[in-house]
């Protein structure tokens, strides 16, 4: 078994909040001693979704058991997911904003024979459909619970009551053409190629907002790669995107010189 040092392109802005959250949890449950400190557990947890390291590689790199890695990651994900705001809390916050942006993404998951409902015909892979709301700058505000990837984005939004909640509080929302007919609060681009005047400006401004959100959504996809599922075959992704959303607001900026923000020992089984 070989072990080599590596790094994560994150700064201490991501590590410190998670370390403090883990330390508080350990005090509440009365955990006296563990193999890894809160800081080392936070690095392990961040390395899993950010770098895509498997449980076996993390176990070899941090010199702990695979079961310990699974327990550490699930513990941290559940703590972060509990901090995610509800849709009602988010609607109260976004009332002060000029508008919000609604979009969705399919978080990829590993596939097995039972994954047929999770196959996305649009993305051509198995995944979980998640709807997100963002502010005009493209910063993530809220992420919905995950539904199978085969479900259309508009259906997922309606299942969580997002268009109805926006309309009830008169919150303006921009979305792409996939949300045509979502409701009076959701504005979509005009159809047609030869648009003129204010219709053309409307599509241009809305397209710029969608591009900003697309960057945030793609970051969530890269940072929230799901490793697998439990013994029942249910996806283990239900809370991961909520955890990634909370870490998204604390993440650091990559240094121009490289990625060496946090040293991570990686293992390779021979």
């Amino acid at each position: 078994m070989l072990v080599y040092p590596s790094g994560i392109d994150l700064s201490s802005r991501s590590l410190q909040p998670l370390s403090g959250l883990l330390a508080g949890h350990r005090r509440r449950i009365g955990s006296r001693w563990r193999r890894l400190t809160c800081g080392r557990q936070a690095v392990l947890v961040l390395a899993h979704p950010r770098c895509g390291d498997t449980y076996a590689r993390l176990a070899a790199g941090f010199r702990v058991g695979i079961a310990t890695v699974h327990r550490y990651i699930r513990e941290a994900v559940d703590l972060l997911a509990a901090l995610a705001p509800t849709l009602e809390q988010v609607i109260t916050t976004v009332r002060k904003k000029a508008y919000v942006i609604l979009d969705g993404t399919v978080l990829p998951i590993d596939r097995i024979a039972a994954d047929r409902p999770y196959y996305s015909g649009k993305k051509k892979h198995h995944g979980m459909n998640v709807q997100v709301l963002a502010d005009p700058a493209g910063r993530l505000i809220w992420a919905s619970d995950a539904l199978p990837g085969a479900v259309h984005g508009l259906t997922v939004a309606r299942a969580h009551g997002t268009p109805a909640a926006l309309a009830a509080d008169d919150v303006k929302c921009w979305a792409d053409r996939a949300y045509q007919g979502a409701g009076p609060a959701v504005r979509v681009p005009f159809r047609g190629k030869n648009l003129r005047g204010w219709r053309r400006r409307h599509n241009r401004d809305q397209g710029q907002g969608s591009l900003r959100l697309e960057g945030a959504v793609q970051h969530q996809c890269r940072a929230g790669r799901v490793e697998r599922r439990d013994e029942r075959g249910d996806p283990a992704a239900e809370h991961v995107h909520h955890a990634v959303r909370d870490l998204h607001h604390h993440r650091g900026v990559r240094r121009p010189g490289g990625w060496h923000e946090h040293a991570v020992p990686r293992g390779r089984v021979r």
Side-chain angles (χ1 to χ4, degrees):
M1 183 178 300
L2 303 177
V3 178
Y4 66 95
S6 182
I8 312 177
D9 56 336
L10 294 172
S11 72
S12 298
R13 292 173 57 192
S14 296
L15 182 67
Q16 291 174 356
L18 181 56
S19 299
L21 189 64
L22 291 171
H25 175 68
R26 291 187 183 186
R27 287 193 297 267
R28 287 193 300 271
I29 65 176
S31 180
R32 297 183 178 180
W33 179 88
R34 292 194 183 186
R35 185 67 179 271
L36 299 182
T37 64
C38 296
R40 294 294 289 169
Q41 181 181 355
V43 174
L44 183 151
V45 173
L46 291 173
H48 174 58
R50 187 69 176 183
C51 304
D53 290 332
T54 62
Y55 289 172
R57 295 185 66 183
L58 291 172
F62 285 86
R63 299 187 182 279
V64 295
I66 295 179
T68 302
V69 172
H70 178 269
R71 185 170 63 253
Y72 279 175
I73 292 176
R74 293 296 302 177
E75 180 182 52
V77 167
D78 290 342
L79 290 173
L80 289 169
L83 300 177
T86 63
L87 180 59
E88 292 74 14
Q89 295 171 337
V90 168
I91 293 298
T92 303
T93 303
V94 301
R95 289 173 183 170
K96 303 176 182 178
K97 300 185 180 296
Y99 62 90
V100 295
I101 307 173
L102 173 64
D103 201 356
T105 184
V106 178
L107 300 179
I109 61 174
D110 297 340
R111 64 179 185 179
I112 61 176
D115 273 343
R116 190 176 185 89
Y118 299 95
Y119 183 80
S120 172
K122 178 181 179 181
K123 298 295 184 180
K124 306 301 180 183
H125 61 70
H126 292 75
M128 304 291 290
N129 195 316
V130 178
Q131 299 297 300
V132 298
L133 288 175
D135 62 10
R139 293 183 293 264
L140 294 181
I141 301 175
W142 174 79
S144 71
D145 291 335
L147 290 181
V151 183
H152 191 273
L154 178 57
T155 304
V156 177
R158 285 174 172 169
H160 296 298
T162 307
L166 294 172
D169 287 82
D170 196 22
V171 178
K172 295 181 180 179
C173 176
W174 286 5
D176 57 31
R177 291 185 177 90
Y179 296 87
Q180 187 80 32
V186 181
R187 302 174 62 182
V188 298
F190 290 101
R191 297 180 179 273
K193 297 182 179 180
N194 300 319
L195 299 176
R196 297 180 181 274
W198 67 274
R199 289 184 173 84
R200 184 174 182 178
R201 292 193 298 270
H202 170 83
N203 284 9
R204 180 190 60 196
D205 295 340
Q206 190 161 353
Q208 292 175 354
S210 298
L211 287 176
R212 290 191 292 268
L213 177 58
E214 186 68 22
V217 170
Q218 290 302 320
H219 169 80
Q220 184 179 6
C221 289
R222 292 192 301 268
R225 176 80 184 185
V226 180
E227 178 60 24
R228 198 52 234 141
R229 52 189 56 243
D230 58 25
E231 296 178 354
R232 298 170 299 173
D234 296 330
E238 185 60 32
H239 290 163
V240 172
H241 62 280
H242 289 302
V244 172
R245 191 209 68 84
D246 289 303
L247 287 174
H248 177 83
H249 294 285
H250 298 290
R251 77 185 191 278
V253 179
R254 182 185 303 176
R255 293 178 182 174
W259 286 16
H260 304 287
E261 296 287 352
H262 302 300
V264 179
R266 289 186 176 181
R268 185 179 67 181
V269 181
R270 298 183 61 183

